[in-house]
Each structure stands twice: as C-alpha cells, then as structure tokens.
Amino acid sequence: MENPKLKAFIPFFYLVWSDDILTQKEFFTLQEFINSQDWISQKEKDILFSKINILAPPSREELTGWKSEMEKVIHLKPSIRSILGISIVLSKNDKIIKDLRSAFIKLENDLGILGEEAIGNFRESKNTFTLNHQAVNRFNTKKLTQVLDGKQSAIIKKVKSVISRPEFAYETSTDTDVYREKVYHWCKILAKENFGNMAFPKKYGGRENLVDYFTVMETLSYYDLSLVIKFGVQFGLWGMSIQSLGTEKHYNKYLKDIGSLKLPGCFAMTETNHGSNVKGLETTATYNHVDQTFTIHTPNANAQKEYIGNAAKHGQIATVFAKLIIDGNDYGINAFIVPLRDMNGKTLKGITIGDCGLKMGLNGVDNGTIRFENVVISKENMLDRFASVNEKGKFESPIPSDNRRFFTMLGTLVGGRIGIPRSALAAAKSGLAIAIIYSDKRRQFGPEGGSEVPILNYRMHQRRLIPLLAKTYAMHFALQYVTNRFIDKKESEVQEIEALVAGMKAYVTWSTRDILQECREACGGKGYLSENRIDALKNDTEIYTTFEGDNTVLMQLVAKNRLAEFRKSFGEMSTIEVINYVYESTKTRISEKNPIVTRKTDDEHLLDNEFHLNAFEYREKATVTSLAKRIKKLIDSGLEPYDAYNVVQHQMIDVSQAYLERIILEQFQIAVQSVKDKKCKEVVLKLSQLYALSQIERNKGWYLEEGYMEAVKTKAIRKMVNQLCWEIRQDAVSLVKAFDIPESCLAAPIVL
C-alpha cells in the first residue's frame, strides 16, 4: 500500500492478523468501517479488503514489513501512546485521518485493541515492553502507611511490636491440644499488655477506646487468626455481652477478671438447629418464684449450644441466650450468666460439654457444644439492662415492645460485625502481599532466545491480582468510615448503621474469600504449600462468611433497610414533592442515557470521579426502585409479603451490593482527596479509578441492559482497566509493602 492515507490501516491489519487468526467479528468490524468511509474510492476499498481476505492472509514477509514500518514510527516518535498516533504518522499527517480521530478510536475499541500495550508490539527493542516492565519505588511507602493507619498509628505499632517477639513464633505442631494451649498462652500475653480490656470502662481497668479495640483485632490478624478469634471471643463476645447487656453489679463482679483473662468465658448463642434465627432458640430459662432462681435447660439434642468458642477446653463461664419462661409464659430471648467449670477446670453438675473437633481452620480455638440439664442459677445472673424479673416475679422492661427490645439487645452486640471484616481484610492484605511480591520475583516464559519474564508482567496475572489490590484499598477506607459511624451513631441512625455494618461484614468477608483463592492460584504450587501461609489464611477465614451472621441473610437485611429508607423518603413527601422527585429522577436518567454520554469513551471521561460515582449511584437507585416496584406488584397480585420477599431474594442481594459499592467508592474518593503527599495521592487515585472501573466492568451486563452504556463504552472501560493494571503493576510491590506487615508475620519463604 503506497497510498499514505491507506497506510493508516496498517496498525489495525497487523494487530488482527498477528495471532494468525482473523475472527469473523474482526472481519465484519473492519469491513463495515471501510464501507462507511466516503473518502475511500471503490478501488482503494478493494485494496483494503484484499488485506482482510480470510482465504488469502498476508504473508509472513508482509506482516514483518508492516511491523517494521511501525517500529520506525515509534523510534522517531517514542512519545506516541496510541494506535491512532501511529496511523496519523503513517498517513503523513493526512487531514482526513486527523479529522476522523473519533471514528478511528471507536474502531480501536470495537476491535478490542489495548492502547499502550499494543504499542509495545512495535517498539524496536525486542520485547522490552513486557520484559522490562518492573517494580519501581515511585512514592514513599512509609508516608502511605501513615495514611492507612491514620490516628491509630500508635496502637498499631505497639501491637506489631508485641506479635514480632520471639514468643510469638508460629506454632507448627499438628497436635490440636498443643496448638490450643499455645493460643491461650498468647492470649494471656495480650491481656497483660492491656489489649483485651481496651474497650471496657476505665473504672473497671479498661481504656474506653472501642476504635483501638477494633484496630488491635485487625492488626493481630496479620499474625494468627486462631489467636484473633480466641481474643475476640474472650474480650469481645464474652466481655462485651457483660458490658452491653448487664448492669453495674455485673460490671463490678466480672469485667476486671475478664480483661485480665483471670475469668475465661464463652458466648453461648448459636444452637444446632438455630444459627442466624436467634428468635427461634429453644434453650429455656425458667423462673422459680420460691427461691428466686432460674433453671437453664436444653429441651432436646438440637437445642444444644454449638460452635461455642472457648467451651471445649478453657471456658469457666458463659453468657447463655435462652427463652425466659415465667409461669408458663414465654417472654422471649434474654441473656444469663451460667458457670460451666470450677477453678480447676472440672465441669459442673448439669453441664455436658463436647468438643466440635477438627475444623477446616481456626484449630487453635476450642469450639465446643454445651448442654444444660436443669442447671439452677441465681436471679442476679440475668443480664438485666433491657429486661428483668422484679421482686414479685414479674417481667419488667424499659422497652415495652417485644420486637424492639429483642433487636435493641442484639444491636448492642453488632460490634463483632466490625471486628470480623477488619480481621478478614488484614488476611486479604497478607495474601496479596505474598502473591504480588512472589509474582514480581517469579519468572516464567519469555521471547525466544531472550530472558524469562516476571509473571506479574503478564496481562492476565495483572488482571487477577491488581483489581483485587484496588478493592482491598477501597474496603480499607470504607471500614474506617463504618467504624467511626458505628461508634458515633445517633439514636435516629441506629437501624441504618446496623444494616450498613451487617452489609460490610458480608461484602468484605466474601471479598476476602475470593481474594485469597486468587492469591493461592496465582502462586501455583508454591501457594499450595503450608509454609507459604495462604492455606492457613484461606481456611481460617472461610468461616468468616457465616459467623456473626450468614452473609446471604445479612445482605437481605441490608436490602430490607434500603427498601424501608425508600418508602420513608416517599412517606414524608407531599404529592407535589413525589411528582418532583420522579421528574428529577427521570430527568437525571434521560441526561445520563443521552447517546453522547452512553457512548463517550475519551480517557478524561472514563477516569473522571464524577462519572464513576454517578454510575454507582444510578445502579443503586435503579435496583432499589425496581425491587420496590416488583414487591408491590407481587403483593398487589395477592401474594403474601413473606412469599413476595422469597420470590425476590436474588434481587435483594443486587440492591445490597449496589448500595455497599456506592458507599465504598464514595469513601475511597474522599480518602484520596485527603492524602497530602503528591506521589502517594497519584497512586491511590489510580487505585480508586481501577476499583470503580473494574466494578463497572463486572456489572457491564446490567449497564448494557439498562441502556446506561453502549457496547463501545463498556469495551473502552475494559481497555482502561487493562491500562490501569499495567500502570499500577510498577507500584504493586510498594503498595503491598505499605501495609507494613511484620516480616515475622508474613513469614512465607517465597517472599523472602
């Protein structure tokens, strides 16, 4: 092709033939484009069509010639970053080609050409684009660590210094009893450091600092997760149940000994037949008028307490959740303190304790079963902050509504739903640190006759790990926000915040499960070896998706809250306000679905924070509106509300996902703006852009169905995700090092 204008097509022809296969889609895309150009004569079109003839593909010599021409362009103008840039130079800066910039960019997107990565095919130095792409230190990791740690920097450093001591060397014994005793020993050390009583009132030896307590749990999670759960059971579940559900007499009697681990205890809620459905618990606490006591009893085998941490070996006492029965009347679920063992560890009369045995993970925690055979306890052992039995043997409560009292009681215990996702996130960070550092070192394959290439340079490997790194950073900042909202909540915000906490617990623990699986696979056989720790991280966090609430159930709770907020917003509006709201929403939809917007693909737009947040907000509003309409239609058609909700459960999960992802992105963008160091801000901004675009790409089917985007735009987003992965790859090692995980905790030989 001697005609300069036709040479503009050389990069496209080379790329579609470079893998020796011209697909039907590529053929039709090029054919349609060529036919649509009026400036090309029929004779010229025939020449171009001859280059995409499947029956007569270009020779190896012709392909080599095309590549040579493009390499010369890149050599003369190394600043070129697009295929179109090469086409313009090859056309000798022809005005027609320049004026068709948007059409050629669309062609590039339609063919799935990947920007700068594709340019690398034409650089003169053989395979330097892939081969020499490597980790660099472009920002100060210590400054980014300070951003991540925030105001909790001091307590984080203190915890890291403790778990880096020689006595915290990992336990390698496969004997469960040995492991359990070691974890108990570690817990005692943490208690001596006053980490356990961190959230308790100062009057009882604590520091009244719930943020630091959650931070301690998260930081410990870089080390051993059995220790984290043992710590959480003793000081969080057992200790906080006394603090949250008890009164002064209970604080005086128990809190100091709980904080020092002098009194190891349990949190006995879950039963064999009832986990998430707390209202359905069958254990009974029957009031005895004669001696003012309660009799705790397990009515059948399926009502035994199960999976109870600290029960099988160390627990001396438990907070037991049971139905309060007075004169044959059921007053709902209440909490009672029930002794299990004496000071010598001997099981008390009427108590039968079993061992849950070996589990998928967390085998340093002594989970057990507990059965009660008419165990009598003192009236003082009822945790009576929200309900009590008076001197006349009558039930009393400052909250008259049974439902409200029940949910108020449970609401005081939702702190565990903050500790668990923060712990999970630390495990995800550890897994990513191991996988990314290893991927930067591990070399595999490469150009014929050349050096092997770091596997993190391969597009697919970047695609596997780097969006997950971006998501991990996003969840980090979102969890900080949720923690602060939970601690500073107002009475009017309680239900919203409890739903948000429940949703984040589900979202983060599910994400951690998926992240660690990808990390394991990304490390190949090395990831399968126990010495490299990913197996422990995977197995130990597996239970996180179902304890402190089954994730699927929690996400339905979130959706119901969003529906309640949706109805509330309409309930407070006048007729005219409803009309205006609908009009404004419709107007927004119309403007966002404008053909120019749905097809807009320039880099500035695709990387724009406002575009990202608008897309997330649109999905959130559209899914909840759709769900509300569908439920109403089902109920209006005669279906019972219970059945209507059952029909739409899958849609409820979509509503919750959209809501949570909007909050996560929103908080990530706010966090980026608060970063003061310029270089740190640049890389964190790229992570936020990658999180946003990778989530949009993941949900591209929904956006396409809605008409919010057209195929040309979702393809451009895919291309931009690839580009961001490529750019962040150079910072990936520094980004995981910014987590500042102690070497003794990371401990995987493949990262040393």
Side-chain angles (χ1 to χ4, degrees):
M1 292 187 292
E2 298 303 322
N3 186 330
K5 286 188 293 186
L6 299 190
K7 282 193 172 186
F9 286 88
I10 284 178
F12 299 97
F13 291 161
Y14 176 80
L15 286 168
V16 297
W17 282 111
S18 59
D19 59 358
D20 294 326
I21 299 171
L22 179 70
T23 66
Q24 188 178 53
K25 180 180 179 296
E26 289 168 338
F27 172 76
F28 283 125
T29 300
L30 285 165
Q31 183 187 55
E32 183 181 357
F33 181 82
I34 293 166
N35 274 328
S36 67
Q37 305 305 311
D38 296 336
W39 55 275
I40 307 177
S41 70
Q42 187 56 51
K43 184 179 179 181
E44 290 170 332
K45 286 181 180 180
D46 290 340
I47 293 171
L48 293 174
F49 288 143
S50 72
K51 304 302 178 186
I52 54 171
N53 184 346
I54 298 172
L55 299 177
S59 65
R60 186 58 56 191
E61 290 74 18
E62 190 168 17
L63 282 170
T64 302
W66 288 345
K67 185 175 183 183
S68 178
E69 287 195 63
M70 291 180 287
E71 286 176 344
K72 289 174 185 175
V73 171
I74 294 296
H75 179 69
L76 292 170
K77 293 196 173 185
S79 60
I80 285 178
R81 289 291 180 268
S82 70
I83 296 301
L84 178 61
I86 298 176
S87 293
I88 289 171
V89 175
L90 288 172
S91 72
K92 297 186 177 177
N93 294 306
D94 187 271
K95 186 176 184 303
I96 292 176
I97 303 300
K98 285 183 177 179
D99 290 345
L100 286 170
R101 174 179 293 273
S102 60
F104 272 97
I105 288 175
K106 181 182 180 303
L107 175 62
E108 200 173 321
N109 288 329
D110 289 346
L111 290 170
I113 293 171
L114 308 176
E116 189 170 343
E117 181 184 12
I119 296 287
N121 288 290
F122 311 137
R123 298 191 187 280
E124 282 186 293
S125 179
K126 194 174 184 181
N127 267 288
T128 56
F129 186 68
T130 297
L131 185 60
N132 293 340
H133 201 52
Q134 57 189 342
V136 292
N137 295 316
R138 295 194 290 191
F139 63 91
N140 188 318
T141 55
K142 289 183 179 178
K143 287 184 178 180
L144 185 52
T145 301
Q146 289 170 0
V147 170
L148 293 170
D149 292 352
K151 294 177 182 178
Q152 274 59 58
S153 179
I155 187 68
I156 289 171
K157 286 179 180 174
K158 184 175 180 182
V159 175
K160 285 178 180 176
S161 70
V162 171
I163 58 179
S164 297
R165 293 177 189 169
E167 58 263 44
F168 281 88
Y170 281 112
E171 178 55 60
T172 57
S173 173
T174 56
D175 186 320
T176 303
D177 287 334
V178 171
Y179 189 16
R180 287 175 174 180
E181 287 307 315
K182 179 58 70 75
V183 169
Y184 189 40
H185 172 67
W186 289 333
C187 232
K188 287 179 178 177
I189 296 173
L190 298 177
K192 285 180 183 177
E193 294 289 342
N194 292 311
F195 291 147
N197 59 20
M198 192 69 69
F200 295 171
K202 292 179 181 176
K203 183 178 178 181
Y204 306 104
R207 303 190 184 183
E208 295 181 16
N209 195 326
L210 193 52
V211 178
D212 275 7
Y213 171 78
F214 289 135
T215 304
V216 169
M217 273 197 77
E218 181 177 349
T219 310
L220 287 174
S221 300
Y222 290 129
Y223 175 54
D224 184 288
L225 292 169
S226 283
L227 172 60
V228 174
I229 300 306
K230 186 86 166 178
F231 180 93
V233 167
Q234 172 66 22
F235 307 113
L237 292 176
W238 159 228
M240 293 291 187
S241 66
I242 300 298
Q243 184 178 336
S244 300
L245 303 178
T247 49
E248 202 70 32
K249 61 180 177 286
H250 302 116
Y251 305 159
N252 282 320
K253 187 172 182 180
Y254 297 111
L255 283 184
K256 277 191 176 179
D257 287 347
I258 293 172
S260 66
L261 200 48
K262 184 179 178 182
L263 184 62
C266 311
F267 183 83
M269 179 182 281
T270 303
E271 294 178 359
T272 300
N273 257 15
H274 290 94
S276 298
N277 182 18
V278 179
K279 268 192 171 183
L281 297 180
E282 297 178 75
T283 301
T284 56
T286 304
Y287 184 67
N288 310 304
H289 291 279
V290 176
D291 55 3
Q292 295 190 324
T293 59
F294 294 100
T295 298
I296 310 297
H297 184 65
T298 303
N300 58 71
N302 287 324
Q304 71 175 353
K305 298 298 179 181
E306 192 165 14
Y307 316 115
I308 309 304
N310 250 5
K313 194 169 182 65
H314 299 122
Q316 294 178 8
I317 195 165
T319 295
V320 176
F321 289 81
K323 289 190 296 186
L324 172 61
I325 308 294
I326 305 176
D327 297 327
N329 296 314
D330 183 348
Y331 288 90
I333 302 301
N334 288 270
F336 304 86
I337 300 170
V338 184
L340 303 177
R341 294 180 173 95
D342 62 21
M343 296 296 289
N344 298 316
K346 184 181 178 182
T347 304
L348 299 176
K349 183 181 178 182
I351 305 289
T352 302
I353 295 176
D355 194 323
C356 288
L358 205 62
K359 301 160 294 198
M360 282 180 71
L362 299 177
N363 283 303
V365 182
D366 52 323
N367 294 90
T369 59
I370 311 173
R371 294 186 66 173
F372 307 96
E373 185 69 33
N374 296 315
V375 176
V376 177
I377 60 171
S378 165
K379 181 172 179 285
E380 299 298 306
N381 283 29
M382 181 177 183
L383 293 174
D384 55 1
R385 180 179 175 187
F386 299 113
S388 61
V389 178
N390 65 21
E391 292 302 315
K392 295 180 180 180
K394 300 295 182 183
F395 180 78
E396 290 184 338
S397 174
I399 306 171
S401 164
D402 290 346
N403 262 352
R404 191 178 164 206
R405 181 171 61 254
F406 174 74
F407 286 111
T408 300
M409 178 183 75
L410 290 190
T412 62
L413 303 171
V414 300
R417 290 179 182 167
I418 291 177
I420 290 303
R422 289 184 61 154
S423 171
L425 191 66
K429 290 175 182 176
S430 294
L432 282 167
I434 293 166
I436 286 174
I437 293 171
Y438 176 65
S439 299
D440 182 59
K441 293 180 174 183
R442 174 80 163 113
R443 290 177 176 266
Q444 189 90 298
F445 306 109
E448 192 172 341
S451 302
E452 289 193 303
V453 176
I455 59 175
L456 194 53
N457 283 10
Y458 290 112
R459 167 64 65 220
M460 198 59 225
H461 214 78
Q462 293 168 10
R463 270 282 192 163
R464 295 172 75 178
L465 295 176
I466 293 178
L468 297 179
L469 178 61
K471 189 178 189 181
T472 298
Y473 266 80
M475 292 187 294
H476 174 94
F477 293 115
L479 281 173
Q480 286 185 334
Y481 161 76
V482 171
T483 302
N484 291 330
R485 278 208 71 189
F486 172 75
I487 289 168
D488 300 331
K489 63 183 177 293
K490 299 172 185 173
E491 185 65 31
S492 60
E493 301 174 321
V494 168
Q495 286 187 339
E496 179 207 346
I497 291 171
E498 286 180 5
L500 174 59
V501 168
M504 284 299 293
K505 181 266 177 185
Y507 188 89
V508 174
T509 56
W510 266 335
S511 297
T512 294
R513 175 200 64 192
D514 296 342
I515 287 167
L516 290 171
Q517 179 62 29
E518 201 63 64
C519 289
R520 207 298 294 158
E521 292 182 28
C523 291
K526 289 291 187 182
Y528 197 64
L529 295 178
S530 293
E531 67 177 11
N532 290 317
R533 294 206 57 237
I534 295 177
D535 74 327
L537 294 168
K538 259 178 58 64
N539 292 336
D540 288 346
T541 55
E542 182 68 30
I543 192 64
Y544 282 26
T545 61
T546 51
F547 73 22
E548 289 292 339
D550 176 276
N551 282 358
T552 302
V553 175
L554 294 181
M555 290 295 261
Q556 291 172 40
L557 170 70
V558 176
K560 286 181 179 178
N561 176 264
R562 300 326 299 155
L563 285 169
E565 293 295 318
F566 182 83
R567 285 193 292 266
K568 191 190 300 180
S569 64
F570 278 100
E572 295 169 354
M573 292 181 184
S574 65
T575 304
I576 190 69
E577 285 174 327
V578 172
I579 292 170
N580 287 336
Y581 175 86
V582 173
Y583 171 73
E584 287 299 322
S585 296
T586 305
K587 194 168 72 175
T588 301
R589 285 191 175 200
I590 289 170
S591 67
E592 290 182 351
K593 288 185 175 182
N594 182 299
I596 296 173
V597 178
T598 60
R599 295 177 62 85
K600 198 171 184 182
T601 58
D602 60 273
D603 289 3
E604 185 178 358
H605 170 69
L606 294 180
L607 295 173
D608 181 59
N609 278 357
E610 189 175 356
F611 157 59
H612 300 156
L613 196 54
N614 284 344
F616 278 50
E617 287 175 343
Y618 179 83
R619 181 166 166 255
E620 178 189 7
K621 290 175 184 175
T623 53
V624 75
T625 303
S626 173
L627 178 62
K629 286 179 179 176
R630 189 165 182 222
I631 290 173
K632 185 178 186 302
K633 186 176 179 181
L634 289 167
I635 292 173
D636 288 348
S637 70
L639 213 60
E640 289 293 323
Y642 175 86
D643 292 322
Y645 276 101
N646 188 38
V647 169
V648 300
Q649 280 187 347
H650 65 286
Q651 210 170 339
M652 293 174 77
I653 303 297
D654 293 340
V655 167
S656 302
Q657 290 273 8
Y659 162 67
L660 293 165
E661 285 172 357
R662 187 267 299 169
I663 284 179
I664 291 168
L665 177 63
E666 201 169 52
Q667 294 309 310
F668 201 175
Q669 290 181 346
I670 290 170
V672 170
Q673 293 309 310
S674 69
V675 178
K676 293 181 173 58
D677 182 80
K678 184 180 176 182
K679 290 183 178 179
C680 287
K681 189 169 188 173
E682 285 174 1
V683 71
V684 177
L685 174 61
K686 280 186 181 179
L687 286 172
S688 72
Q689 292 166 337
L690 178 57
Y691 172 71
L693 291 174
S694 59
Q695 293 308 116
I696 292 172
E697 183 190 31
R698 184 171 172 268
N699 294 295
K700 67 181 179 182
W702 184 88
Y703 285 108
L704 287 166
E705 285 178 357
E706 279 284 308
Y708 189 83
M709 296 177 191
E710 291 188 28
V712 65
K713 189 164 188 170
T714 58
K715 288 175 183 176
I717 286 170
R718 179 189 65 197
K719 175 179 167 183
M720 184 57 74
V721 168
N722 284 333
Q723 189 62 38
L724 286 168
C725 285
W726 184 262
E727 293 173 8
I728 294 169
R729 179 267 178 268
Q730 292 185 291
D731 299 306
V733 172
S734 296
L735 284 165
V736 294
K737 285 187 175 178
F739 297 148
D740 194 30
I741 302 170
E743 282 187 20
S744 61
C745 294
L746 210 53
I750 56 173
V751 303
L752 300 178

